[in-house]
Amino acid sequence: MSQIIDGKLVASHIRKELKNEAESLLKLTGKKPGLVAILVGDNSASKIYVNSKSKACNEVGFHSVIKIMENDTTEEDLLKVIKEFNADDDIDGILVQLPLPEQIDEDKIIEAISPEKDVDGFHPISFGNLVIGKETFYPCTPFGIMELLKYYKIDTKGKHVVVVGRSNIVGKPIANMLVQKKDGANAIVTICHTAAPDIAFYTKQADILIAAVGKANLITKDMVKDGVVVIDVGINRIEDSNSAKGYKVVGDVDFENVKEKASFITPVPGGVGPMTIAMLLTNTLKSFKQKMNIK
Ligand code: NAD
């Protein structure tokens, strides 16, 4: 029988602490940490993400701005807006909701965000610092996974972590965070991806398995060993005639069957997902404190 890793619960604790800290900082400085979310175009999923980030900001007492720009916004216009927010003293964190319309080069936009306000942790400077083990803004989803492992006292030292997926926002950063010679890390890490002839060869060896792929039920019971810790990052919609919406959200792991073998497992929804926004808020507070020179 496995223990369910309750990301909703852990995230709610973090948000409560952030709220308390924001209140004390407001008394001390008269200012609030500020986050701007820039949304270009009318992607409906992006709108939902931006609104929930802004709502979470308000709930913990941060200053929140949503900047909405038209679908035909030019790269130059967006760069100008980022430059303005880089210079805006009320803003500590800048996030540009991805994906961007095709006329805009995402890499150029990410690089234009001041590294001091890069609360998504996607800037090459943040990523470089992460790889060499320096303190930085960690990307929110991998940061959330590290917090879950810490909260549940899951030992990573010398353990074999297998990460499935090599994206710049999840797979690569979580692998690099776990390999660091630090408490809460120090793991032996394997990353596997589409070029692996048989991912089961790797997943079967995992003490800790992190699936960040985006394919429903990719990881089945026969692909894991007894006692494995499973972190499921995937978010996939599958048809469900019992649901009023006609679909349900599942992860990359066949949860019902894999949980029989796992020692710990994250559900989807309610596992990694809620941690992502909590860590975005954590990064925003960190940026504010750095600006104010508060330890
Ligand atoms: P991505 O599409 O950028 O990367 C997916 C990776 O999976 C790629 O590196 C690819 O090589 C690998 N892959 C694809 N098929 C594979 C296969 N059959 N075998 C092995 N590897 C395979 O995706 P991403 O942005 O990293 O997101 C992954 C999943 O996590 C998605 O479902 C996404 O929605 C979800 N996600 C969730 C959160 C959260 O907050 N919970 C945050 C980010 C992403």
Side-chain angles (χ1 to χ4, degrees):
M1 220 9 220
S2 57
Q3 182 170 353
I4 306 297
I5 295 180
D6 188 345
K8 235 174 145 176
L9 177 82
V10 183
S12 77
H13 288 321
I14 294 172
R15 282 154 77 146
K16 209 169 156 201
E17 278 170 23
L18 291 170
K19 190 168 187 236
N20 290 340
E21 203 173 347
E23 268 170 27
S24 316
L25 288 169
L26 182 61
K27 280 185 199 139
L28 186 73
T29 66
K31 293 196 166 187
K32 294 178 174 186
L35 175 74
V36 60
I38 304 172
L39 174 65
V40 187
D42 50 12
N43 181 316
S44 55
S46 293
K47 267 189 206 163
I48 295 171
Y49 290 140
V50 162
N51 286 332
S52 54
K53 286 167 188 173
S54 168
K55 190 168 158 251
C57 246
N58 290 321
E59 278 169 7
V60 295
F62 291 6
H63 167 59
S64 160
V65 178
I66 300 182
K67 172 79 181 171
I68 296 173
M69 301 180 76
E70 297 295 326
N71 204 38
D72 59 0
T73 297
T74 62
E75 194 173 277
E76 204 186 348
D77 284 342
L78 181 54
L79 287 170
K80 213 172 127 207
V81 164
I82 290 173
K83 204 171 165 194
E84 283 164 17
F85 285 119
N86 279 341
D88 185 338
D89 198 45
D90 290 333
I91 295 298
D92 302 288
I94 301 172
L95 87 81
V96 178
Q97 188 64 46
L98 303 178
L100 289 169
E102 57 182 18
Q103 72 275 15
I104 302 177
D105 180 342
E106 284 186 0
D107 289 345
K108 249 193 187 170
I109 298 304
I110 290 169
E111 283 170 36
I113 296 170
S114 162
E116 279 107 70
K117 299 189 179 187
D118 176 37
V119 289
D120 254 341
F122 294 161
H123 194 288
I125 289 184
S126 306
F127 201 86
N129 282 331
L130 180 155
V131 173
I132 60 172
K134 269 194 179 174
E135 187 60 36
T136 187
F137 291 116
Y138 302 115
C140 303
T141 302
F143 192 9
I145 296 172
M146 297 299 283
E147 288 297 306
L148 287 178
L149 294 171
K150 188 163 92 184
Y151 187 91
Y152 283 89
K153 300 188 170 53
I154 294 166
D155 190 18
T156 50
K157 186 178 174 187
K159 301 285 188 247
H160 187 189
V161 177
V162 176
V163 180
V164 189
R166 58 175 157 185
S167 72
N168 288 343
I169 64 166
V170 190
K172 282 183 201 152
I174 189 63
N176 279 284
M177 287 167 89
L178 280 163
V179 86
Q180 299 300 324
K181 194 173 179 182
K182 285 183 182 173
D183 285 346
N186 223 352
I188 317 302
V189 182
T190 299
I191 308 181
C192 61
H193 42 74
T194 41
D198 174 19
I199 60 164
F201 171 79
Y202 302 97
T203 58
K204 277 180 189 165
Q205 299 175 45
D207 300 313
I208 301 172
L209 176 64
I210 301 177
V213 177
K215 291 213 161 73
N217 297 322
L218 178 77
I219 308 293
T220 50
K221 192 177 171 181
D222 56 316
M223 293 167 72
V224 299
K225 68 177 182 188
D226 278 324
V228 64
V229 173
V230 178
I231 306 291
D232 189 355
V233 185
I235 299 177
N236 309 291
R237 278 185 183 187
I238 58 166
E239 243 184 66
D240 179 16
S241 52
N242 294 324
S243 144
K245 293 179 193 154
Y247 70 85
K248 65 174 177 178
V249 173
V250 299
D252 292 340
V253 176
D254 174 9
F255 179 82
E256 285 309 323
N257 292 307
V258 171
K259 84 170 193 289
E260 289 172 21
K261 280 176 108 175
S263 54
F264 290 87
I265 187 165
T266 59
V268 177
V272 175
M275 293 298 288
T276 299
I277 292 185
M279 302 330 288
L280 174 70
L281 301 173
T282 301
N283 280 345
T284 304
L285 187 83
K286 175 179 169 153
S287 171
F288 175 76
K289 283 165 74 177
Q290 280 174 353
K291 176 185 76 183
M292 305 300 274
N293 248 324
I294 298 168
K295 285 263 165 343

